[in-house]
Amino acid sequence: MDILDIQQGTPEWLALRQNYFTASEAPAMMGDSPFISRDQLLHQKKTGSTPEVNEFQQKKFDAGHQAEAEARPLAEKIVGADLFPATGATTIDGLPLLASFDGLTMMEDLIFEHKLWNEKLVAQIEGEGIEPAYYWQLEQQLLVSGAERVLFVCSDGTSANLRHVYYESQDYRREALIAGWKQFQEDLHSFEPPVSSPVLEGELIQDTTALVIQLNGQVNHSNLPQLEEQIHHRIDSVKSELVSDQDFADAESAVKFFKKTEKKLKDGKEAALAQVPEIAELFTRIDHLTVAMASKRKSLDKQVKHQKQHIKDSMVLKAVTTLEKERQAINVELTPGWIAAVITAIDFQEVIKSKKNVSSMQSAVNNRLAQARIEQKQQAQAVKNNLALFRKMANDKDYLFPDLDTLLHKEPPDLMAIIEMRLNQEAQQNLAANEPKAEPERAPATAPEKNEEQPDLLYTDGEVTEEILTDDIYSMEKWLGKGSLDCYRYDRHGNEYRIELIIRRAGLITPAQQLSLQEEKETA
């Protein structure tokens, strides 16, 4: 890690962060930030634009910084070492990573991270467990610094309201963090900032006047003609085809207006009926208006719901199609290996179920799509690693592994054990096939006369001399065969050993020793 000579919070520090993937951005990158979405982070990184800090937010930041400064001496007592604010940077797998530390020991083996007191975080520290919104930042701080652990503190700057817990890196989280930044870096390269659109609200429709009817045996006074004109005008002004977001917002406002006005007409009718019963024509017109508005309202409401579902389905279909195309391309590259689908359309529908507008739904789909891409790449990498292991141990032995496409999904130790077993089986079969067949017994021939100068070649049980013939792998493969040699060359875990071909030689028995051995046998 490189310690950067820069003060946190300065304009230079803010500009520096734009060129790195920072620890505080990690929760948003992983889709777990309650404050900013992954799409918003992509937009900020691509354009360099950041939202302005309002007065309320600035007060919260100032309070947090003050509490942090007051809590630092308390943290130093807990860890028994001085803690210094610092900013560090490093590059891992081509990723420019940055982390700012509220405190770092001189040995850089322990980090201090402070959050302003809040009851929810205190409950997590005291036993519920740290949520992803916090631990992704801690993971990146440990990754960048190489420190062993983080003293994670929540306080208001006083010892009375201070809770802490030590956090250590989890291997699976660290791997997920690196994979997440790699996918974010890839997405950032192709990201096109969408055209910003204002927050839309339905058209403000002026309310109609309340229906007024005065009766005295006859209709003495009614503003129904005026009300009738207003309602028909509103019905005619509503669009029958909804295209833009503004159209949808206007339609939803119209639905509310029609529902409210229907009730007014009904109330006016009931008031009139209470006065005089003979007003059939008047009330018939009122009923017609009510039916007309109800019909339009129901049609609009149905269209709004149908179109919203269509938009959801289109988002999901696009995401599923994109992911499937990428999976098919990966499978072509992995042949004879393959990867299965990691997500279905139902999973995408689930993440947008509670979203209320198009932008939040699209952001949720994009987050899940990024996670699925990471899962596909991790699955593909595991298959690639197994395929490389297979080629190393059993190259040109494909005929022994007709189920290779399935075996490539096993854990490496299990795959190695299966490869070793099948290679050993083949080697034993070849060895048995190459053994000379036993010849039929023949009558013993008359032994030739022995020449005393040329004794029988008998060997002692005693001293043995050894001579290394060769340790050249290629020479031994020619003599023994690759399958037989690999049985000794690799263990079940894939570890490779040095192999030597050795000649063992014992001394010859002299005629005198041979005579002595015969005498011992006769005596016995």
Side-chain angles (χ1 to χ4, degrees):
M1 175 181 69
D2 297 325
I3 297 294
L4 307 180
D5 184 15
I6 193 169
Q7 183 178 352
Q8 297 180 21
T10 61
E12 293 77 14
W13 177 77
L14 294 173
L16 176 71
R17 288 167 55 87
Q18 188 62 30
N19 300 320
Y20 288 87
F21 298 144
T22 71
S24 59
E25 295 168 342
M29 177 275 297
M30 296 298 292
D32 290 320
S33 172
F35 308 110
I36 178 175
S37 70
R38 187 176 185 273
D39 282 358
Q40 289 172 326
L41 181 61
L42 281 167
H43 187 277
Q44 291 181 13
K45 287 295 187 182
K46 192 73 170 185
T47 64
S49 64
T50 55
E52 294 184 3
V53 178
N54 58 39
E55 184 178 353
F56 174 78
Q57 291 173 324
Q58 190 59 54
K59 287 182 179 180
K60 292 285 289 184
F61 292 157
D62 293 342
H65 293 153
Q66 182 178 350
E68 172 196 324
E70 294 172 352
R72 187 173 291 106
L74 302 176
E76 290 175 339
K77 290 182 180 180
I78 294 173
V79 302
D82 293 333
L83 297 167
F84 305 93
T87 299
T90 189
T91 300
I92 296 177
D93 292 348
L95 298 170
L97 302 179
L98 185 94
S100 297
F101 311 103
D102 295 335
L104 187 65
T105 60
M106 289 293 292
M107 298 298 294
E108 300 182 8
D109 59 348
L110 187 139
I111 298 165
F112 163 56
E113 178 60 28
H114 181 273
K115 300 296 180 185
L116 186 61
W117 179 272
N118 73 81
E119 297 294 340
K120 183 178 179 181
L121 180 55
V122 168
Q124 295 176 39
I125 290 177
E126 290 182 337
E128 292 183 2
I130 305 300
E131 292 182 350
Y134 296 104
Y135 68 59
W136 289 125
Q137 179 182 7
L138 306 182
E139 278 290 341
Q140 180 149 335
Q141 289 176 331
L142 291 170
L143 176 62
V144 171
S145 65
E148 298 175 0
R149 56 182 181 167
V150 180
L151 177 69
F152 188 48
V153 174
C154 180
S155 84
D156 61 3
T158 66
S159 57
N161 287 334
L162 185 148
R163 303 291 185 273
H164 75 275
V165 66
Y166 283 103
Y167 179 86
E168 296 182 1
S169 178
Q170 306 293 319
D171 290 343
Y172 73 96
R173 288 180 182 171
R174 175 169 291 195
E175 292 173 2
L177 179 72
I178 294 174
W181 277 126
K182 286 183 177 180
Q183 186 61 51
F184 185 88
Q185 187 180 52
E186 181 179 323
D187 293 343
L188 182 63
H189 179 72
S190 59
F191 181 75
E192 292 292 338
V195 178
S196 60
S197 56
V199 178
L200 300 177
E201 295 184 2
E203 176 189 359
L204 181 60
I205 301 175
Q206 185 176 359
D207 205 356
T208 61
T209 56
L211 177 61
V212 177
I213 301 174
Q214 292 182 356
L215 299 174
N216 185 17
Q218 61 182 1
V219 179
N220 294 329
H221 171 72
S222 173
N223 67 340
L224 182 59
Q226 177 187 357
L227 182 61
E228 191 174 22
E229 182 180 355
Q230 293 175 357
I231 293 174
H232 280 302
H233 175 72
R234 177 48 51 198
I235 291 175
D236 294 338
S237 67
V238 174
K239 293 182 178 180
S240 58
E241 292 186 3
L242 307 181
V243 179
S244 67
D245 286 352
Q246 183 65 58
D247 292 341
F248 285 107
D250 292 344
E252 289 177 335
S253 293
V255 169
K256 295 176 183 177
F257 166 82
F258 290 142
K259 189 173 183 179
K260 183 177 180 182
T261 306
E262 288 172 40
K263 187 177 185 304
K264 287 182 179 181
L265 291 173
K266 184 179 180 180
D267 293 342
K269 179 180 178 181
E270 291 175 353
L273 283 172
Q275 299 179 50
V276 180
E278 298 177 325
I279 52 173
E281 182 180 358
L282 176 66
F283 290 158
T284 299
R285 292 164 65 187
I286 293 174
D287 290 341
H288 287 169
L289 291 175
T290 303
V291 171
M293 284 192 301
S295 176
K296 194 65 177 180
R297 171 178 59 82
K298 292 177 181 178
S299 174
L300 281 173
D301 196 25
K302 183 178 181 180
Q303 189 174 356
V304 167
K305 292 178 179 178
H306 175 78
Q307 190 64 16
K308 282 188 173 181
Q309 188 61 48
H310 174 70
I311 292 173
K312 290 180 181 180
D313 293 343
S314 297
M315 288 181 183
V316 170
L317 179 61
K318 182 178 179 181
V320 170
T321 302
T322 298
L323 199 62
E324 181 60 20
K325 286 181 178 179
E326 293 175 0
R327 187 179 76 88
Q328 295 293 348
I330 290 173
N331 283 345
V332 170
E333 182 183 350
L334 285 179
T335 304
W338 54 274
I339 61 171
V342 299
I343 193 172
T344 65
I346 295 177
D347 299 316
F348 280 113
Q349 291 284 2
E350 191 66 27
V351 300
I352 62 178
K353 184 177 292 184
S354 60
K355 308 304 178 184
K356 295 183 178 180
N357 55 59
V358 174
S359 59
S360 62
M361 287 190 288
Q362 187 64 65
S363 180
V365 168
N366 290 345
N367 285 351
R368 190 63 188 91
L369 178 61
Q371 294 170 7
R373 281 171 164 162
I374 293 170
E375 292 168 17
Q376 281 194 163
K377 290 176 181 177
Q378 290 174 334
Q379 190 182 142
Q381 188 59 52
V383 173
K384 282 183 180 178
N385 293 343
N386 276 351
L387 187 57
L389 176 64
F390 171 79
R391 294 304 181 201
K392 181 178 180 181
M393 295 182 65
N395 198 25
D396 299 329
K397 298 287 184 177
D398 291 10
Y399 57 88
L400 294 177
F401 302 90
D403 54 347
L404 178 60
D405 59 334
T406 302
L407 295 178
L408 292 176
H409 290 271
K410 291 187 174 293
E411 292 297 319
D414 296 335
L415 177 62
M416 286 189 286
I418 293 173
I419 293 174
E420 289 179 358
M421 178 186 69
R422 295 189 185 180
L423 291 178
N424 287 338
Q425 290 174 345
E426 185 194 35
Q428 292 171 4
Q429 292 172 357
N430 292 340
L431 186 62
N434 292 332
E435 286 182 354
K437 296 181 180 179
E439 296 183 2
E441 293 185 2
R442 299 178 181 176
T446 304
E449 294 184 2
K450 292 183 179 180
N451 187 339
E452 292 184 0
E453 296 180 357
Q454 189 175 0
D456 292 338
L457 295 179
L458 299 178
Y459 296 93
T460 64
D461 297 328
E463 66 176 291
V464 176
T465 59
E466 294 184 351
E467 179 181 352
I468 298 176
L469 179 61
T470 182
D471 59 359
D472 180 68
I473 294 296
Y474 300 104
S475 298
M476 288 187 281
E477 282 184 355
K478 292 180 180 179
W479 295 331
L480 302 178
K482 186 177 186 302
S484 299
L485 182 65
D486 284 351
C487 293
Y488 302 97
R489 187 178 175 188
Y490 299 100
D491 64 17
R492 68 182 301 271
H493 301 294
N495 299 314
E496 185 175 2
Y497 295 86
R498 182 171 179 265
I499 304 295
E500 295 175 346
L501 187 61
I502 299 175
I503 295 178
R504 301 176 63 87
R505 184 172 185 178
L508 289 171
I509 297 178
T510 64
Q513 292 172 326
Q514 181 179 356
L515 181 61
S516 176
L517 287 173
Q518 290 176 347
E519 290 176 351
E520 289 177 1
K521 289 180 181 180
E522 292 173 356
T523 303

